[in-house]
Amino acid sequence: MSAPDLDTPRPLRKPGDTDAVTFSWADTDANLYGLARVATGLGADGETSTSALAVAFLGRDPLGAVVASPADAVTATVEEPLSRWTVRGTGELEFELTFEALTAPVGFRGRQAVVKAGGMEGYEQLCRVHGTLEGRAVKGLGQRGHSWGNPDWDKIALTRSVAAWFDDGGVALSLVRPTKASHHAGEAAWGAFFSPDATLQVDEVRLSTTTDEAARPIRAAIELYLDKDSEYPYRGAGEVLTGSTLELGALRMDVAFFRWHAEGRTGVGRYDLIRRA
């Protein structure tokens, strides 16, 4: 599939079909963090609708949050397929950010366990990010993901999106817990590893999480076996820097940004948790 095809929204054919792009970013020097998502979906009545959410932080202090339908408050533009995008927020949260890909996309699709459990296919890329957020300059690292499919929240207990970003690469994880499972071990998992030498999918992913009294992630550890012959895993650990909770109708989203430590390096990233409210 060509770059323009991958970056083009997927057709919505049946109720519940969704196509979404998610942007997340961190500028640790300026202490600025944020996430924005724009989605299109097909409702039970056959009508297409758009929605958007965005949240941003200055350190531990929220700068603003948007949960809107239609998605007029947040817009995303493909400037160059799989290479450069612009995302803008207007109204309650003002931002204009350019994302420039640092890596090729790594995808999850077909009959992979995370796709079967969550109903969504897609890919992730690490990015450089620059622009403005509430009048403040942003220059940092981030991630852009594109996903599409038909998630069945009657069968999903929760989903996790976890990422660690470093100047020379990083990791991205996606996990889905079916309603029949009760802990991490029962979650379908997918991972991607990004470095100057390799960009690859990781099949063996392990994640452990410590939560606060409200079940929000505050610490986490990851282990990735980068290939089937790996004797030792790639390991990382992180702790929360800032975060908040967004109420999304029938769902609740805990958005957090983490400081990550892996293989002697320190970076930044995200840990998003979506569950039924």
Side-chain angles (χ1 to χ4, degrees), residues 99-116:
F99 282 66
E100 296 177 337
L102 286 172
T103 70
V106 178
F108 44 96
R109 61 189 62 197
R111 297 195 60 78
Q112 288 179 277
V114 74
V115 176
K116 293 169 66 176

Side-chain angles (χ1 to χ4, degrees), residues 43-44 53 55 70 77 96 122 131 154 179 211 222 262 272:
L53 66 86
V55 61
T77 305
E96 183 168 341
D154 288 334
T179 52
T211 61
I222 58 175
D272 301 335

Side-chain angles (χ1 to χ4, degrees), residues 14-32:
K14 61 181 180 179
D17 280 0
T18 301
D19 184 278
V21 289
T22 302
F23 300 85
S24 50
W25 66 89
D27 179 342
T28 53
D29 290 336
N31 219 10
L32 293 168

Side-chain angles (χ1 to χ4, degrees), residues 168-186:
D168 60 350
V171 301
L173 312 178
S174 179
L175 298 96
V176 179
R177 179 184 295 182
T179 52
K180 295 179 180 179
S182 58
H183 46 70
H184 267 315

Side-chain angles (χ1 to χ4, degrees), residues 5-164:
D5 289 338
L6 270 180
D7 240 341
T8 299
R10 294 301 188 273
L12 307 176
R13 295 191 173 93
K14 61 181 180 179
D17 280 0
T18 301
D19 184 278
V21 289
T22 302
F23 300 85
S24 50
W25 66 89
D27 179 342
T28 53
D29 290 336
N31 219 10
L32 293 168
Y33 311 89
L35 177 142
R37 181 179 185 268
V38 181
T40 304
L42 192 65
D45 58 1
E47 294 294 323
T48 299
S49 63
T50 61
S51 62
L53 66 86
V55 61
F57 306 90
L58 175 60
R60 289 189 171 273
D61 298 324
L63 284 173
V66 174
V67 178
S69 181
D72 299 341
V74 182
T75 58
T77 305
V78 177
E79 308 291 352
E80 183 179 348
L82 298 187
S83 294
R84 188 163 55 91
W85 310 265
T86 300
V87 59
R88 297 178 177 88
T90 58
E92 186 173 345
L93 190 60
E94 300 273 351
F95 57 90
E96 183 168 341
L97 299 168
T98 297
F99 282 66
E100 296 177 337
L102 286 172
T103 70
V106 178
F108 44 96
R109 61 189 62 197
R111 297 195 60 78
Q112 288 179 277
V114 74
V115 176
K116 293 169 66 176
M120 299 288 282
E121 297 182 301
Y123 57 86
E124 301 288 340
Q125 292 178 260
L126 304 192
C127 301
R128 291 279 183 194
V129 186
H130 61 87
T132 59
L133 169 62
E134 290 291 304
R136 299 169 173 87
V138 174
K139 187 176 182 181
L141 296 172
Q143 183 175 340
R144 189 258 187 185
H146 180 193
S147 60
W148 56 89
N150 196 309
D152 184 353
W153 279 94
D154 288 334
K155 298 179 180 179
I156 300 170
L158 57 84
T159 67
R160 307 178 196 268
S161 298
V162 181

